Amino acid sequence: MIKFPYGISDFQRIRTDDYLYVDRTAYIPTLEDADRQLIFLRPRRFGKSLLLSMLANYYDVQTAGEFATLFGDLAIGQQPTAEHNQYLILRWDFSKVSAQGDSEQIKRNLFAHVNVAIQGFQVRYQQYLTTTSQIYADNAIASFESLCNAVQNSGHSLYLLIDEYDNFANEVLMQDVSDAQRYRELLEGEGILKTLFKIIKASASEGKISRVFITGVSPVVLSDMTSGYNVATSIYLEPRFNELCGLTQEELTPLVGQVLNECGQNIAEQASVLETLRQFYNGYRFCHRAERPLVYNPTLCFYFLRHYQRECEAPRKILDGNLAMDAGRIRYIAALPNGHGIIDQIVDDERPVMLQELESQFGVEKLREVQQDSRYMLSLLYFFGVLTIRDIGELGKLVLGVPNLVIRGLYVERLKRHALPRPQDDQLAESLAEKFYQTADLQPLVDFMESKYFAVFSNRDYCWSNELTVKTAFLTLLFNDTWYIMDSETALQRRYSDLVMIIRPVCAITPP
């Protein structure tokens, strides 16, 4: 039986407890050659934390005696680089830093996290440190400088790994769209986050830090830090790293086959299960090369396959609860000027969204310009993982699209909440949709749309209403991942259907 590491990002635990590990160690030499300070961005739940854990175990002097156990049968185990097990590892995880309170409280939260990490470092590497470093409770930046000096004076090298570097800063930015003052205080001028990264930059240039690897979701925070940290190499759009995180079709297919075999199911079911996974979890491309393969969200695939392995049927709910934060990203965009207009555009399959290039150099001031220029909003949605690069269009433009039906469901839900803000109306709409599934009588739903759904429209909204408006209304009310897949502009006998309801493959129970 496969032990799927759903929600587990500890590489050592995965390897020693026989969990599934999809080998990414072959990238280590390429990462070493890319530069000594790297920034790698991916959406949530794509395995960034596991990647950092793997790198930590590979480079840590403390795990040298476990190299054969951890890496012996992996790609890097046969030809390790000269740097394996050569560093003292310092790890920060900024997703653990609370974004609650004013800028001073957030500063204290950050200092507490950094100091705790330094204390753990001192305990772990006490036999390697010939000089001690000081912990300053009210100034973790001084603690960090003291640690760097102690490592250098002890004749060792430091590898700094920072996970979710932008997490708490992004949370501050999105908590109140209309008030970004706390965010500015963290990043502008001598803001605490900018100051911390200035020290990282200086320590690396002085040889106190040998390597830095940073993960995050978006480049917004980097843009606002400007000179605070302008020395790192961004690798997140490089084609050679497109599949560094995520699952490929080639990797997923044998896992599905093994799960079906354990359930005693005919291998003929494999095509149906793979099609379900493709429709709901695939569709991500993280580079400008259309020939690079699309990748699957690994966490959601493991969620599906772990359930299938236990119950020998697909989970009833395809939309895993872990998507709540992604819904929050879309909610944030929707609250911006013209945000709902952008979401309407995204769900319009007849007119693909196109950009000449993804915006990467934008900060909080640029985000104010989205009401005049949608490039920033669309680029931010790409980095959040709720848009992806579908293709390369005319004049080399990037064709952006919703990656899969899981993400489309989040957009649809946002549009529905906008049109039906009252819970009782939402519940009535759900009831009418279920009756339609059973009777095919559309009239009650049409009457509801006329009396409730379109009642929120202003005269200006009606002026701009068109076929897409009506189609989107039906899409939001009928979208149901338990029973049906709602598809738009489906090719049927050389024509295109506005909306199609397809019974979900490998449905756990018979649809009404």
Side-chain angles (χ1 to χ4, degrees):
M1 177 176 285
I2 302 173
K3 293 179 68 174
F4 290 102
Y6 179 72
I8 301 175
S9 58
D10 182 343
F11 176 80
Q12 190 171 54
R13 180 185 173 192
I14 287 173
R15 294 292 290 158
T16 56
D17 289 353
D18 295 322
Y19 282 93
L20 171 70
Y21 177 68
V22 181
D23 194 356
R24 290 294 181 268
T25 62
Y27 285 94
I28 289 176
T30 310
L31 289 170
E32 287 187 1
D33 291 340
D35 208 343
R36 301 193 74 84
Q37 298 184 67
L38 302 176
I39 296 174
F40 180 66
L41 305 179
R42 283 294 182 270
R44 291 179 61 251
R45 305 176 320 282
F46 260 86
K48 301 186 299 294
S49 297
L50 177 56
L51 174 64
L52 285 191
S53 181
M54 181 271 286
L55 293 176
N57 280 275
Y58 178 77
Y59 289 106
D60 195 342
V61 296
Q62 284 278 57
T63 58
E66 303 171 75
F67 185 84
T69 300
L70 298 176
F71 296 96
D73 61 342
L74 300 179
I76 198 66
Q78 307 307 310
Q79 291 184 310
T81 64
E83 295 184 48
H84 80 90
N85 302 117
Q86 295 299 307
Y87 296 105
L88 309 189
I89 307 296
L90 178 62
R91 294 185 64 181
W92 295 335
D93 180 358
F94 285 177
S95 68
K96 297 178 179 179
V97 178
S98 172
Q100 301 301 313
D102 58 19
S103 59
E104 279 301 312
Q105 180 59 55
I106 296 171
K107 175 181 175 180
R108 289 193 292 271
N109 297 340
L110 176 62
F111 278 0
H113 176 71
V114 171
N115 276 334
V116 167
I118 290 174
Q119 288 172 336
F121 181 97
Q122 290 175 330
V123 172
R124 180 174 179 82
Y125 298 112
Q126 56 184 329
Q127 62 178 312
Y128 298 93
L129 299 175
T130 57
T131 60
T132 59
S133 60
Q134 299 298 314
I135 300 290
Y136 301 91
D138 59 346
N139 189 349
I141 292 178
S143 304
F144 176 57
E145 289 186 276
S146 177
L147 179 70
C148 290
N149 290 333
V151 172
Q152 186 180 52
N153 293 337
S154 300
H156 292 284
S157 298
L158 184 68
Y159 197 141
L160 176 62
L161 300 169
I162 306 177
D163 200 7
E164 303 289 354
Y165 90 99
D166 57 338
N167 184 272
F168 75 91
N170 280 340
E171 289 301 308
V172 169
L173 178 62
M174 293 181 191
Q175 282 174 6
D176 188 347
V177 177
S178 62
D179 181 12
Q181 182 60 34
R182 288 188 305 149
Y183 180 85
R184 293 192 187 91
E185 291 173 355
L186 290 173
L187 286 154
E188 293 184 351
E190 292 304 313
I192 189 59
L193 197 56
K194 183 175 180 179
T195 301
L196 177 61
F197 276 89
K198 284 173 64 177
I199 298 302
I200 295 172
K201 173 183 174 181
S203 298
S205 68
E206 295 167 359
K208 298 177 182 178
I209 302 177
S210 294
R211 287 191 177 274
V212 181
F213 196 101
I214 301 172
T215 74
V217 171
S218 83
V220 176
V221 176
L222 283 175
S223 299
D224 282 321
M225 288 193 300
T226 57
S227 60
Y229 195 65
N230 56 3
V231 295
T233 298
S234 299
I235 62 171
Y236 50 85
L237 287 176
E238 292 191 19
R240 57 182 173 165
F241 297 119
N242 181 64
E243 301 102 79
L244 178 55
C245 286
L247 289 173
T248 65
Q249 180 75 45
E250 183 180 7
E251 292 165 337
L252 187 60
T253 299
L255 297 178
V256 171
Q258 186 172 340
V259 168
L260 290 177
N261 183 62
E262 291 172 0
C263 285
Q265 295 182 358
N266 194 308
I267 197 65
E269 291 292 321
Q270 187 176 54
S272 178
V273 175
L274 285 171
E275 178 62 12
T276 298
L277 291 168
R278 184 193 66 78
Q279 289 175 322
F280 284 96
Y281 303 145
N282 192 17
Y284 298 91
R285 183 179 287 114
F286 300 110
C287 68
H288 298 180
R289 297 278 183 84
E291 69 273 13
R292 298 301 300 185
L294 297 170
V295 296
Y296 290 76
N297 181 306
T299 303
L300 295 183
C301 286
F302 293 160
Y303 157 79
F304 181 100
L305 291 175
R306 185 179 66 162
H307 183 281
Y308 204 109
Q309 185 171 243
R310 290 173 176 174
E311 307 296 333
C312 292
E313 63 183 19
R316 180 181 175 89
K317 295 297 294 182
I318 294 291
L319 302 182
D320 182 13
N322 281 320
L323 291 165
M325 186 170 289
D326 288 338
R329 307 300 196 208
I330 295 176
R331 190 163 54 246
Y332 164 73
I333 293 297
L336 295 173
N338 197 36
H340 272 285
I342 291 295
I343 293 176
D344 284 336
Q345 180 185 357
I346 289 169
V347 299
D348 182 4
D349 294 312
E350 296 184 57
R351 295 181 300 167
V353 177
M354 303 183 75
L355 285 180
Q356 190 63 53
E357 291 291 341
L358 289 166
E359 293 292 339
S360 59
Q361 297 301 314
F362 56 94
V364 67
E365 294 302 324
K366 289 289 186 180
L367 290 178
R368 290 183 169 184
E369 299 177 15
V370 296
Q371 55 188 306
Q372 287 86 30
D373 191 341
S374 63
R375 291 177 300 169
Y376 298 105
M377 225 190 301
L378 293 170
S379 297
L380 197 55
L381 287 169
Y382 161 82
F383 286 111
F384 287 161
V386 290
L387 278 182
T388 198
I389 301 172
R390 282 277 190 85
D391 204 350
I392 304 298
E394 55 191 41
L395 301 178
K397 289 186 176 181
L398 302 176
V399 180
L400 301 181
V402 180
N404 49 54
L405 289 174
V406 159
I407 301 301
R408 176 178 282 269
L410 299 180
Y411 283 111
V412 168
E413 184 63 23
R414 183 67 254 158
L415 293 173
K416 186 178 180 182
R417 289 279 177 261
H418 177 62
L420 301 174
R422 299 195 315 163
Q424 55 267 43
D425 290 338
D426 185 23
Q427 293 168 8
L428 177 56
E430 184 177 332
S431 175
L432 292 172
E434 289 175 352
K435 288 181 180 179
F436 170 69
Y437 301 151
Q438 296 173 312
T439 66
D441 182 5
L442 196 58
Q443 191 60 48
L445 199 60
V446 171
D447 294 339
F448 172 82
M449 289 170 62
E450 184 177 0
S451 62
K452 295 289 186 181
Y453 195 100
F454 291 118
V456 300
F457 279 37
S458 65
N459 289 337
R460 183 177 294 275
D461 290 328
Y462 278 116
C463 288
W464 293 103
S465 296
N466 52 24
E467 177 187 340
L468 173 64
T469 308
V470 177
K471 187 170 72 172
T472 301
F474 277 106
L475 178 67
T476 59
L477 295 179
L478 294 176
F479 193 96
N480 186 317
D481 76 288
T482 301
W483 303 114
Y484 295 100
I485 295 170
M486 294 295 300
D487 202 4
S488 175
E489 297 303 313
T490 306
L492 296 172
Q493 298 178 350
R494 299 186 180 181
R495 306 176 106 180
Y496 292 91
S497 174
D498 290 327
L499 285 174
V500 172
M501 299 176 67
I502 306 169
I503 295 177
R504 197 187 92 187
V506 298
C507 195
I509 51 181
T510 304

